[in-house]
Structures are given as C-alpha cells and as structure tokens.
Amino acid sequence: MTQDPHAKLHIAAGAAQTPTPVPTPLRVVHDRQGTDLEAAELAAGQFLRALGVSTDSESLRDTPRRMAHAYAELFSPRPFDLTTFPNDEEYDELVLARSIPLRSVCEHHLLPFVGTAHIGYLPGQRILGLSKLARVLEHFACRPQVQERLTKQVADWLQSQLEPKGVGVVIQAEHTCMTLRGVQATGATTMTSTLLGLLRTDARSRSEFLALTGLPR
C-alpha cells in the first residue's frame, strides 16, 4: 500500500499544535475546624460579666453573639485560587502592588492592628494575578498575628509558590494595643520589611523597590 506523504504532514502539524497543559490553580482554603460559635458566644458573655459589664440591658443583650461573630470573621480569610499565567513576554522588571489595605489582630492582646502593605516581585517563568497579592496578605492576616511574622510569612509563601527572582513585602500599621492602651502612643506606626532573592542581593533592584514603597534606601 502506498503511503500518502500528506498524511504524515497533517499528523506532524497536528502534534505540533497540541496546547500546553494549563496548571490547575492552587486552591487556598482556611481550615475552620474547631470553630464553635455557640461556645464563643457563651464565653464572650462570661468574659464581659467577669469585667463588670452587664449584658442584661436591651442594648447589650446581643453583644456576646456579635462579639463571637466579629472575631470569627476576623479569623476567617476568604478562600481563593492562586491564579498564575505564563510569562510569555519574559517580563523581568518589578511588579508592585502598593497600599493594600491590611487588618489583623495582635496575638498578645487580641486588639486590631490596621495599615497598608506593599508587595512586589521580580517575575520568573510565571506571573501572578494582581488581586492574588491582596488575597495572600488576607490569608495570613486573618489570625492572631505579630507584624514581623506576617511580613515574613507573605514573602516566604510567595517565594515558594511562585518561584520568582525576588520578593519584597513592606507593612506599615498602627497597633491599637499600643495606641489605645499601655503607653497610649497615639498615631504611632510600625514598619516591617522582608526582602528575598534579587530584591535583597541586587543593589539596583533593592533600591528601586524601596524607593517605590517609600522606605529609606
């Protein structure tokens, strides 16, 4: 049987056009095991009464329930997909999301701290959907935290999941455990930073990142 040379051509062309498999996005979900809102409401009521705050009035009767739900919300980040895309253009300059709103809870006093975060990276083979930088921040912020650990957790996680050439995270926040109690240093803010990869070792890249975030170089 004589083979059709055009058939080989069609097969070869079809094989060359097979699309590259798209990686399945990583689904990031907070583990809510152990959450018991009824027990939290009961404990909140006991806590208030132990401090001499009566919950018998109409205004305060539902406060323990509201407290329980409020803290459950503060400790429950929303699930998200870590969506990435191929860096087809081989973009190798800084990607920076500035002034991402931040709220977390100090693990020492369970009082809020609020502020902003600047998160940037130097892309490797893949780039990240920009909204995911805020999602990653929320994921680690929605739990009892200290700012130093939060800053490093966000940077380390992005470095391990995205494999960029460098990552930088800067957080500036006001801690109500410092401004509303104790020293009562009203208006004081705390700044922390973590630099990894080229943003730590390459002077030009580090200087550009710090300049864009407003940190002294």
Side-chain angles (χ1 to χ4, degrees), residues 124-143:
Q125 293 184 355
R126 300 191 68 80
I127 56 177
L128 182 66
L130 288 177
S131 67
K132 307 310 176 185
L133 295 173
R135 294 289 195 183
V136 172
L137 176 68
E138 178 186 303
H139 178 75
F140 287 103
C142 285
R143 63 189 70 181

PDB file of all heavy atoms in Angstrom, residues 124-143:
ATOM      1  N   GLY A 124       9.543  35.277  37.435  1.00  0.00           N
ATOM      2  CA  GLY A 124      10.325  34.208  36.844  1.00  0.00           C
ATOM      3  C   GLY A 124       9.587  33.701  35.621  1.00  0.00           C
ATOM      4  O   GLY A 124       9.273  34.461  34.714  1.00  0.00           O
ATOM      5  N   GLN A 125       9.242  32.417  35.609  1.00  0.00           N
ATOM      6  CA  GLN A 125       8.566  31.831  34.459  1.00  0.00           C
ATOM      7  C   GLN A 125       7.066  32.120  34.437  1.00  0.00           C
ATOM      8  O   GLN A 125       6.426  32.000  33.402  1.00  0.00           O
ATOM      9  CB  GLN A 125       8.794  30.318  34.440  1.00  0.00           C
ATOM     10  CG  GLN A 125      10.243  29.924  34.191  1.00  0.00           C
ATOM     11  CD  GLN A 125      10.411  28.426  34.071  1.00  0.00           C
ATOM     12  OE1 GLN A 125       9.476  27.652  34.266  1.00  0.00           O
ATOM     13  NE2 GLN A 125      11.623  28.004  33.732  1.00  0.00           N
ATOM     14  N   ARG A 126       6.502  32.506  35.599  1.00  0.00           N
ATOM     15  CA  ARG A 126       5.068  32.762  35.649  1.00  0.00           C
ATOM     16  C   ARG A 126       4.797  34.082  36.366  1.00  0.00           C
ATOM     17  O   ARG A 126       5.609  34.529  37.194  1.00  0.00           O
ATOM     18  CB  ARG A 126       4.316  31.620  36.357  1.00  0.00           C
ATOM     19  CG  ARG A 126       4.499  30.267  35.655  1.00  0.00           C
ATOM     20  CD  ARG A 126       3.564  29.222  36.193  1.00  0.00           C
ATOM     21  NE  ARG A 126       2.157  29.459  35.877  1.00  0.00           N
ATOM     22  CZ  ARG A 126       1.594  29.170  34.701  1.00  0.00           C
ATOM     23  NH1 ARG A 126       2.316  28.647  33.724  1.00  0.00           N
ATOM     24  NH2 ARG A 126       0.312  29.403  34.497  1.00  0.00           N
ATOM     25  N   ILE A 127       3.674  34.708  35.997  1.00  0.00           N
ATOM     26  CA  ILE A 127       3.236  35.927  36.661  1.00  0.00           C
ATOM     27  C   ILE A 127       1.940  35.636  37.411  1.00  0.00           C
ATOM     28  O   ILE A 127       1.212  34.698  37.087  1.00  0.00           O
ATOM     29  CB  ILE A 127       3.037  37.092  35.670  1.00  0.00           C
ATOM     30  CG1 ILE A 127       2.054  36.701  34.558  1.00  0.00           C
ATOM     31  CG2 ILE A 127       4.377  37.528  35.091  1.00  0.00           C
ATOM     32  CD1 ILE A 127       1.744  37.814  33.599  1.00  0.00           C
ATOM     33  N   LEU A 128       1.649  36.462  38.392  1.00  0.00           N
ATOM     34  CA  LEU A 128       0.530  36.230  39.296  1.00  0.00           C
ATOM     35  C   LEU A 128      -0.587  37.225  39.019  1.00  0.00           C
ATOM     36  O   LEU A 128      -0.328  38.404  38.743  1.00  0.00           O
ATOM     37  CB  LEU A 128       1.021  36.393  40.746  1.00  0.00           C
ATOM     38  CG  LEU A 128       0.032  36.145  41.877  1.00  0.00           C
ATOM     39  CD1 LEU A 128      -0.380  34.670  41.912  1.00  0.00           C
ATOM     40  CD2 LEU A 128       0.663  36.538  43.212  1.00  0.00           C
ATOM     41  N   GLY A 129      -1.833  36.756  39.083  1.00  0.00           N
ATOM     42  CA  GLY A 129      -2.960  37.683  39.015  1.00  0.00           C
ATOM     43  C   GLY A 129      -2.832  38.709  40.133  1.00  0.00           C
ATOM     44  O   GLY A 129      -2.629  38.355  41.294  1.00  0.00           O
ATOM     45  N   LEU A 130      -2.930  39.995  39.803  1.00  0.00           N
ATOM     46  CA  LEU A 130      -2.597  41.051  40.761  1.00  0.00           C
ATOM     47  C   LEU A 130      -3.445  40.990  42.024  1.00  0.00           C
ATOM     48  O   LEU A 130      -2.957  41.261  43.126  1.00  0.00           O
ATOM     49  CB  LEU A 130      -2.742  42.424  40.096  1.00  0.00           C
ATOM     50  CG  LEU A 130      -1.668  42.784  39.070  1.00  0.00           C
ATOM     51  CD1 LEU A 130      -1.970  44.138  38.443  1.00  0.00           C
ATOM     52  CD2 LEU A 130      -0.287  42.791  39.720  1.00  0.00           C
ATOM     53  N   SER A 131      -4.717  40.631  41.900  1.00  0.00           N
ATOM     54  CA  SER A 131      -5.576  40.592  43.084  1.00  0.00           C
ATOM     55  C   SER A 131      -5.119  39.536  44.084  1.00  0.00           C
ATOM     56  O   SER A 131      -5.455  39.612  45.270  1.00  0.00           O
ATOM     57  CB  SER A 131      -7.025  40.321  42.683  1.00  0.00           C
ATOM     58  OG  SER A 131      -7.168  39.013  42.150  1.00  0.00           O
ATOM     59  N   LYS A 132      -4.338  38.568  43.610  1.00  0.00           N
ATOM     60  CA  LYS A 132      -3.919  37.480  44.496  1.00  0.00           C
ATOM     61  C   LYS A 132      -2.899  37.951  45.534  1.00  0.00           C
ATOM     62  O   LYS A 132      -2.751  37.325  46.584  1.00  0.00           O
ATOM     63  CB  LYS A 132      -3.340  36.319  43.683  1.00  0.00           C
ATOM     64  CG  LYS A 132      -4.242  35.825  42.573  1.00  0.00           C
ATOM     65  CD  LYS A 132      -5.662  35.540  43.040  1.00  0.00           C
ATOM     66  CE  LYS A 132      -6.552  35.135  41.884  1.00  0.00           C
ATOM     67  NZ  LYS A 132      -7.965  34.955  42.272  1.00  0.00           N
ATOM     68  N   LEU A 133      -2.195  39.052  45.245  1.00  0.00           N
ATOM     69  CA  LEU A 133      -1.280  39.590  46.248  1.00  0.00           C
ATOM     70  C   LEU A 133      -2.066  40.028  47.485  1.00  0.00           C
ATOM     71  O   LEU A 133      -1.653  39.777  48.632  1.00  0.00           O
ATOM     72  CB  LEU A 133      -0.487  40.755  45.670  1.00  0.00           C
ATOM     73  CG  LEU A 133       0.472  40.393  44.530  1.00  0.00           C
ATOM     74  CD1 LEU A 133       1.066  41.655  43.921  1.00  0.00           C
ATOM     75  CD2 LEU A 133       1.573  39.466  45.017  1.00  0.00           C
ATOM     76  N   ALA A 134      -3.219  40.663  47.263  1.00  0.00           N
ATOM     77  CA  ALA A 134      -4.068  41.053  48.390  1.00  0.00           C
ATOM     78  C   ALA A 134      -4.680  39.835  49.061  1.00  0.00           C
ATOM     79  O   ALA A 134      -4.853  39.808  50.287  1.00  0.00           O
ATOM     80  CB  ALA A 134      -5.166  42.002  47.901  1.00  0.00           C
ATOM     81  N   ARG A 135      -5.016  38.816  48.285  1.00  0.00           N
ATOM     82  CA  ARG A 135      -5.586  37.597  48.853  1.00  0.00           C
ATOM     83  C   ARG A 135      -4.594  36.872  49.765  1.00  0.00           C
ATOM     84  O   ARG A 135      -4.953  36.364  50.828  1.00  0.00           O
ATOM     85  CB  ARG A 135      -6.022  36.659  47.731  1.00  0.00           C
ATOM     86  CG  ARG A 135      -7.163  37.158  46.868  1.00  0.00           C
ATOM     87  CD  ARG A 135      -8.477  37.159  47.618  1.00  0.00           C
ATOM     88  NE  ARG A 135      -9.600  37.288  46.703  1.00  0.00           N
ATOM     89  CZ  ARG A 135     -10.857  37.366  47.095  1.00  0.00           C
ATOM     90  NH1 ARG A 135     -11.150  37.340  48.381  1.00  0.00           N
ATOM     91  NH2 ARG A 135     -11.834  37.480  46.207  1.00  0.00           N
ATOM     92  N   VAL A 136      -3.347  36.813  49.320  1.00  0.00           N
ATOM     93  CA  VAL A 136      -2.319  36.156  50.136  1.00  0.00           C
ATOM     94  C   VAL A 136      -2.128  36.919  51.450  1.00  0.00           C
ATOM     95  O   VAL A 136      -2.011  36.320  52.528  1.00  0.00           O
ATOM     96  CB  VAL A 136      -0.991  36.055  49.361  1.00  0.00           C
ATOM     97  CG1 VAL A 136       0.126  35.547  50.266  1.00  0.00           C
ATOM     98  CG2 VAL A 136      -1.155  35.135  48.159  1.00  0.00           C
ATOM     99  N   LEU A 137      -2.102  38.243  51.367  1.00  0.00           N
ATOM    100  CA  LEU A 137      -1.986  39.057  52.570  1.00  0.00           C
ATOM    101  C   LEU A 137      -3.146  38.772  53.518  1.00  0.00           C
ATOM    102  O   LEU A 137      -2.942  38.567  54.728  1.00  0.00           O
ATOM    103  CB  LEU A 137      -1.960  40.538  52.192  1.00  0.00           C
ATOM    104  CG  LEU A 137      -1.940  41.528  53.353  1.00  0.00           C
ATOM    105  CD1 LEU A 137      -0.625  41.446  54.109  1.00  0.00           C
ATOM    106  CD2 LEU A 137      -2.185  42.946  52.844  1.00  0.00           C
ATOM    107  N   GLU A 138      -4.363  38.755  53.001  1.00  0.00           N
ATOM    108  CA  GLU A 138      -5.532  38.482  53.843  1.00  0.00           C
ATOM    109  C   GLU A 138      -5.446  37.101  54.475  1.00  0.00           C
ATOM    110  O   GLU A 138      -5.800  36.919  55.648  1.00  0.00           O
ATOM    111  CB  GLU A 138      -6.807  38.582  52.996  1.00  0.00           C
ATOM    112  CG  GLU A 138      -8.080  38.261  53.761  1.00  0.00           C
ATOM    113  CD  GLU A 138      -9.300  38.221  52.880  1.00  0.00           C
ATOM    114  OE1 GLU A 138      -9.584  39.238  52.203  1.00  0.00           O
ATOM    115  OE2 GLU A 138      -9.975  37.167  52.847  1.00  0.00           O
ATOM    116  N   HIS A 139      -4.969  36.118  53.709  1.00  0.00           N
ATOM    117  CA  HIS A 139      -4.891  34.744  54.211  1.00  0.00           C
ATOM    118  C   HIS A 139      -4.051  34.659  55.483  1.00  0.00           C
ATOM    119  O   HIS A 139      -4.429  33.969  56.436  1.00  0.00           O
ATOM    120  CB  HIS A 139      -4.311  33.830  53.134  1.00  0.00           C
ATOM    121  CG  HIS A 139      -4.144  32.409  53.565  1.00  0.00           C
ATOM    122  ND1 HIS A 139      -5.209  31.542  53.679  1.00  0.00           N
ATOM    123  CD2 HIS A 139      -3.042  31.711  53.940  1.00  0.00           C
ATOM    124  CE1 HIS A 139      -4.764  30.367  54.095  1.00  0.00           C
ATOM    125  NE2 HIS A 139      -3.463  30.443  54.257  1.00  0.00           N
ATOM    126  N   PHE A 140      -2.927  35.351  55.495  1.00  0.00           N
ATOM    127  CA  PHE A 140      -2.049  35.276  56.668  1.00  0.00           C
ATOM    128  C   PHE A 140      -2.409  36.299  57.749  1.00  0.00           C
ATOM    129  O   PHE A 140      -2.019  36.143  58.906  1.00  0.00           O
ATOM    130  CB  PHE A 140      -0.590  35.449  56.240  1.00  0.00           C
ATOM    131  CG  PHE A 140      -0.043  34.254  55.520  1.00  0.00           C
ATOM    132  CD1 PHE A 140       0.110  34.262  54.143  1.00  0.00           C
ATOM    133  CD2 PHE A 140       0.313  33.110  56.211  1.00  0.00           C
ATOM    134  CE1 PHE A 140       0.598  33.152  53.473  1.00  0.00           C
ATOM    135  CE2 PHE A 140       0.810  31.992  55.560  1.00  0.00           C
ATOM    136  CZ  PHE A 140       0.951  32.014  54.182  1.00  0.00           C
ATOM    137  N   ALA A 141      -3.147  37.348  57.378  1.00  0.00           N
ATOM    138  CA  ALA A 141      -3.513  38.385  58.349  1.00  0.00           C
ATOM    139  C   ALA A 141      -4.715  37.984  59.183  1.00  0.00           C
ATOM    140  O   ALA A 141      -4.858  38.457  60.326  1.00  0.00           O
ATOM    141  CB  ALA A 141      -3.807  39.701  57.632  1.00  0.00           C
ATOM    142  N   CYS A 142      -5.588  37.119  58.654  1.00  0.00           N
ATOM    143  CA  CYS A 142      -6.819  36.752  59.363  1.00  0.00           C
ATOM    144  C   CYS A 142      -6.556  35.649  60.390  1.00  0.00           C
ATOM    145  O   CYS A 142      -7.025  34.510  60.247  1.00  0.00           O
ATOM    146  CB  CYS A 142      -7.886  36.315  58.365  1.00  0.00           C
ATOM    147  SG  CYS A 142      -8.630  37.681  57.466  1.00  0.00           S
ATOM    148  N   ARG A 143      -5.812  36.006  61.411  1.00  0.00           N
ATOM    149  CA  ARG A 143      -5.497  35.105  62.522  1.00  0.00           C
ATOM    150  C   ARG A 143      -4.762  35.944  63.561  1.00  0.00           C
ATOM    151  O   ARG A 143      -4.278  37.032  63.258  1.00  0.00           O
ATOM    152  CB  ARG A 143      -4.595  33.960  62.043  1.00  0.00           C
ATOM    153  CG  ARG A 143      -3.231  34.417  61.540  1.00  0.00           C
ATOM    154  CD  ARG A 143      -2.442  33.307  60.872  1.00  0.00           C
ATOM    155  NE  ARG A 143      -3.033  32.922  59.603  1.00  0.00           N
ATOM    156  CZ  ARG A 143      -2.555  31.954  58.830  1.00  0.00           C
ATOM    157  NH1 ARG A 143      -1.500  31.262  59.223  1.00  0.00           N
ATOM    158  NH2 ARG A 143      -3.128  31.669  57.678  1.00  0.00           N
TER     159      ARG A 143
END
